[in-house]
Amino acid sequence: MRHQVVLIPGDGIGPEICRAMRRVLDAAGAPIEWEERIAGAAAVERYGTPLPEEVIDRIRERRVALKGPLTTPVGTGHTSANVALRQALDLYACVRPTRTLPGVPSRFGAVDLVIVRENTEGLYSGIEHEVVPGVVESLKIVSERACVRISEFAFQYAVACGRRRVTAVHKANIMKKSDGLFLRCARRVAERYPQIEYDEVIVDACCMRLVMQPERFDVLLTDNLYGDIVSDLAAGLVGGLGVVPGANLGSDCAVFEAVHGSAPDIAGRGIANPIATLWSASMMLDFLGEAAAAAALMAAIEAVTAEGKTLTPDLGGKAGTREVVDAVLGRLNP
Ligand code: ATP
């Protein structure tokens, strides 16, 4: 059986890394039929919107997508296409495994944590208005339903993946009602998972501890904004944004994408690191029930990084995207 997957190449380095990813999966014989769709800046030019309805409909039908980064012009009327897509498909859980790959230079040896981020509300609700000229209000929406389901997801994930601890990240000392509700829900869910340790950390202290003792963390349960910030911090611990994958999961659909953005500073130069997207593709294969193919792809990626000869400039190497892809393919199909 072949899986039907919507592919959204996206903006900036998106098309080059998605092409690279597709080359690897096709050459490896992954049973996938790709259906390519346009979103992001290219869609604004063609359809007048960064996220055409039709793209959302196709993902709803196919249920699985892999996407490159989408840019949203700053300060324009368009809301972020990434945020809009997560909300439209109710992709409420964002999962970002952040692990040091062998051979990848980083400040710490063995970071291995997973960020589980609430993906649909909080300060990303996009509800802002100008109260009077010079004063704006931005609403942080927090619902019990969303807090309970993301907490439930984090604990189920911990159990399924053999993780030992879930740490809720918050700022309930200041945002007593909103983050207070988040914590109350997390605690309630934690009681039902006695086999998983549960603790809490204030987001600023979390950032410091992540830098000083990243091995202390296992699964980090966060709201939308803290998850966004902590993800980039954690990426910095394991070699940067070029090596952190992600999945946006809902009850009906799943969209896989690297944590990084469109990297306009290096777009079109053939030096973008494809590993984050290849790893996201491996997560997708796992999700599709192709565990052996997922593991083989991960093993090939790790063999290439461990060897250390074919790394892109963000990891201190001199290789281009194409050479990394060739190296991964060499390991997959020796
Ligand atoms: P956006 O507005 O789309 O988020 P950005 O430039 O603000 O774009 P990122 O795209 O995440 O944010 O890039 C941050 C930095 O990390 C940039 O210097 C970029 O070149 C680098 N970077 C991100 N992804 C990669 C990658 N896959 N390979 C190499 N460098 C990357």
Side-chain angles (χ1 to χ4, degrees):
M1 185 194 116
R2 292 178 77 76
H3 308 279
Q4 317 259 322
V5 173
V6 177
L7 178 64
I8 302 171
D11 299 316
I13 59 171
E16 38 195 303
I17 50 173
C18 284
R19 217 177 302 126
M21 178 281 304
R22 191 169 165 173
R23 223 186 110 214
V24 171
L25 265 64
D26 290 350
I32 290 177
E33 222 152 82
W34 303 100
E35 177 180 330
E36 220 166 292
R37 286 287 178 265
I38 296 176
V44 173
E45 277 167 34
R46 203 186 290 186
Y47 306 106
T49 168
L51 187 62
E53 259 317 301
E54 193 237 349
V55 174
I56 301 172
D57 289 343
R58 295 310 285 166
I59 302 177
R60 246 188 223 120
E61 264 171 52
R62 302 283 184 233
R63 291 173 163 245
V64 179
L66 196 145
K67 75 179 261 299
L70 306 179
T71 48
T72 308
V74 176
T76 65
H78 295 297
T79 51
S80 157
N82 298 308
V83 174
L85 185 67
R86 292 166 196 163
Q87 288 174 346
L89 297 171
D90 200 22
L91 302 168
Y92 68 90
C94 176
V95 181
R96 293 174 164 178
T98 309
R99 175 164 65 83
T100 318
L101 292 175
V104 169
S106 66
R107 285 184 185 275
F108 297 93
V111 175
D112 181 10
L113 52 89
V114 181
I115 293 164
V116 173
R117 165 188 174 190
E118 202 292 321
N119 225 4
T120 59
E121 52 178 42
L123 274 167
Y124 283 61
S125 334
I127 306 173
E128 294 188 315
H129 69 278
E130 190 170 52
V131 183
V132 291
V135 181
V136 294
E137 190 173 42
S138 183
L139 296 185
K140 172 163 166 162
I141 306 295
V142 181
S143 70
E144 184 172 347
R145 174 177 171 266
C147 293
V148 168
R149 74 177 174 170
I150 195 64
S151 300
E152 194 71 56
F153 182 96
F155 280 91
Q156 278 176 12
Y157 180 92
V159 171
C161 299
R163 297 270 169 178
R164 64 181 199 292
R165 183 195 294 145
V166 171
T167 303
V169 181
H170 68 95
K171 190 78 187 176
N173 50 334
I174 304 296
M175 277 160 280
K176 294 182 194 301
K177 285 206 183 297
S178 52
D179 284 17
L181 175 60
F182 179 78
L183 277 190
R184 277 203 308 283
C185 295
R187 286 174 195 163
R188 223 166 67 209
V189 173
E191 278 173 18
R192 283 193 276 110
Y193 293 86
Q195 71 275 44
I196 303 291
E197 283 175 46
Y198 169 75
D199 63 0
E200 297 164 356
V201 64
I202 296 179
V203 62
D204 39 354
C206 174
C207 291
M208 183 192 70
R209 281 201 223 153
L210 269 170
V211 173
M212 295 184 74
Q213 294 172 288
E215 69 286 349
R216 187 194 167 280
F217 293 102
D218 196 349
V219 175
L220 287 163
L221 165 62
T222 78
D223 83 344
N224 213 336
L225 179 66
Y226 307 149
D228 192 15
I229 297 168
V230 167
S231 294
D232 271 31
L233 192 158
L237 301 174
V238 297
L241 286 166
V243 287
V244 186
N248 301 288
L249 306 172
S251 316
D252 303 318
C253 303
V255 176
F256 296 82
E257 64 178 329
V259 168
H260 63 73
S262 60
D265 52 337
I266 58 165
R269 293 171 51 199
I271 56 165
N273 190 342
I275 289 179
T277 300
L278 287 172
W279 191 341
S280 306
S282 168
M283 291 171 76
M284 181 184 78
L285 286 169
D286 222 358
F287 179 86
L288 290 169
E290 303 291 343
L297 176 53
M298 238 12 252
I301 294 169
E302 293 191 35
V304 169
T305 60
E307 194 187 32
K309 285 204 306 215
T310 322
L311 300 177
T312 42
D314 57 307
L315 300 182
K318 290 194 167 66
T321 312
R322 170 167 273 279
E323 288 159 279
V324 175
V325 166
D326 288 342
V328 171
L329 278 174
R331 296 285 179 165
L332 270 174
N333 301 324

